[in-house]
């Protein structure tokens, strides 16, 4: 375990997650503090910081300490801040539907999916709309040795077609607080290893998700579907997850290479407003069987 001298780190749940304290993200943080925040992220997959007050400019500045901005396709940024999107849910939106309400790793359909994302809570409902995270290294390590060997040799096909292609515009029109422009470009596909090696920790993690993984490279659709369905269910079972109940001022920072996440759509009649920034990542490194 890492020894922290400049921040406090308290484990939040068994599988993943930690609360980081003793830091004001709006300030000009020393490199040693940034290094410890990054270490906590690598150790726990997702970290939470309470009682933060960030302008869009300050959130962008903090995000850039961990890497350059990753463009967000299809989702419109807030005016005058192209690196910030507002994840907004209006009180009139019906329960049962939420932006980000399917298990996913952000934009895994890109050639270089994001390293991570930072979400700052500005307004939250009095109950519900929690966010769940699932540890994908733990998910992979608990599979049988035989299945691990098989999966290390496979590549998955990712696409935004079931999220941002024109057939989904009707769904996005129901998100009253957000502007999403669907496009035929969402039908493009990208191949990534089913098991990726984390570029910083070296951990082998599952890298398939229900939102964006649409097939297995070299498999017929009817062959791939039962394998993927099994992996989707396994990867997000309760024993691999943590759950965060939001309060105004909370910040969540997650590593898309290490965890999946989803938001609960279990509330109506209340507004929820978050600002999100996204950090550029690298092309996934395959974790092939050394044998």
């Amino acid at each position: 375990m890492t020894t922290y001298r400049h921040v406090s780190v308290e484990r939040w749940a068994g599988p993943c997650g930690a609360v980081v304290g003793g830091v004001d993200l709006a300030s000009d943080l020393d490199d040693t503090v940034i290094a410890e925040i990054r270490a906590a992220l690598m150790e726990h997959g997702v970290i939470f910081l309470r009682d933060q007050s960030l302008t869009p400019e300050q959130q962008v500045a903090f995000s850039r300490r961990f890497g350059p901005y990753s463009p967000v396709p299809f989702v419109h940024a807030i005016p005058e801040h192209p690196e910030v999107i507002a994840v907004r849910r209006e009180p009139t939106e019906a329960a049962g539907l939420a932006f980000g309400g399917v298990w996913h790793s952000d934009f895994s359909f890109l050639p270089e999916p994001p390293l991570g994302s930072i979400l700052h809570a500005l307004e939250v409902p009095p109950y519900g709309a929690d966010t769940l995270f699932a540890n994908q290294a733990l998910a992979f390590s608990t599979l049988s040795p035989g299945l691990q060997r098989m999966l290390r040799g496979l590549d998955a096909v990712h696409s935004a077609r079931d999220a941002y292609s024109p057939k989904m515009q009707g769904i996005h029109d129901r998100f009253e607080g957000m502007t999403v422009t669907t496009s035929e470009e969402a039908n493009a596909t990208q191949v990534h290893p089913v098991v990726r090696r984390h570029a910083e920790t070296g951990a082998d993690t599952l890298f398939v998700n229900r939102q964006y993984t649409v097939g297995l490279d070299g498999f017929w659709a009817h062959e791939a579907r039962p394998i993927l369905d099994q992996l989707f269910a396994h990867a997000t079972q309760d024993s691999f997850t943590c759950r965060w109940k939001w309060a105004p001022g909370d910040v969540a920072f997650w590593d898309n290479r290490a965890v999946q996440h989803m938001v609960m759509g279990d509330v109506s009649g209340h507004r929820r407003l978050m600002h999100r920034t996204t950090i550029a990542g690298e092309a996934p490194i395959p974790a092939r069987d050394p044998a």
Side-chain angles (χ1 to χ4, degrees), residues 223-241:
E223 297 172 329
R225 180 47 50 192
I227 299 172
L228 288 174
D229 284 344
Q230 178 188 359
L231 293 178
F232 297 156
H234 172 78
T236 57
Q237 60 183 281
D238 291 350
S239 58
F240 303 150
T241 66

Side-chain angles (χ1 to χ4, degrees), residues 36-172:
E36 289 196 0
I37 293 173
R38 190 174 197 120
L41 181 67
M42 295 303 105
E43 186 172 352
H44 298 282
V46 55
I47 56 175
F48 310 101
L49 302 98
R50 294 187 170 106
D51 301 319
Q52 303 295 318
S53 180
L54 296 171
T55 65
E57 293 88 351
Q58 290 168 334
Q59 184 170 344
V60 167
F62 175 67
S63 296
R64 288 185 177 183
R65 300 293 295 275
F66 297 89
Y69 160 66
S70 177
V72 175
F74 311 111
V75 184
H76 291 219
I78 65 176
E80 300 180 6
H81 295 287
E83 298 184 25
V84 182
I85 65 170
V87 182
R88 180 187 288 110
R89 181 184 178 89
E90 296 296 353
T92 50
E93 295 182 34
L97 183 67
F99 183 82
V102 178
W103 281 106
H104 64 285
S105 177
D106 286 331
F107 311 133
S108 66
F109 55 83
L110 295 175
E112 296 181 343
L115 177 155
S117 303
I118 297 171
L119 197 62
H120 180 215
L122 302 177
E123 188 174 345
V124 300
Y127 59 86
D130 299 351
T131 302
L132 285 70
F133 300 87
N135 183 330
Q136 297 306 283
L138 184 58
F140 179 70
S141 69
T142 52
L143 294 171
S144 68
L147 187 53
Q148 288 183 11
R149 284 194 297 272
M150 184 188 84
L151 294 177
R152 279 195 175 103
L154 298 183
D155 294 310
V157 181
H158 297 250
S159 175
R161 71 188 189 197
D162 295 328
Y164 297 113
S165 69
K167 70 177 182 178
M168 304 302 295
Q169 189 63 56
I171 296 294
H172 290 292

Side-chain angles (χ1 to χ4, degrees), residues 150-156 192-195 216-217 219 227 288:
M150 184 188 84
L151 294 177
R152 279 195 175 103
L154 298 183
D155 294 310
H192 292 308
V194 170
V195 186
L216 294 173
D217 192 38
F219 284 65
I227 299 172
R288 301 308 192 197

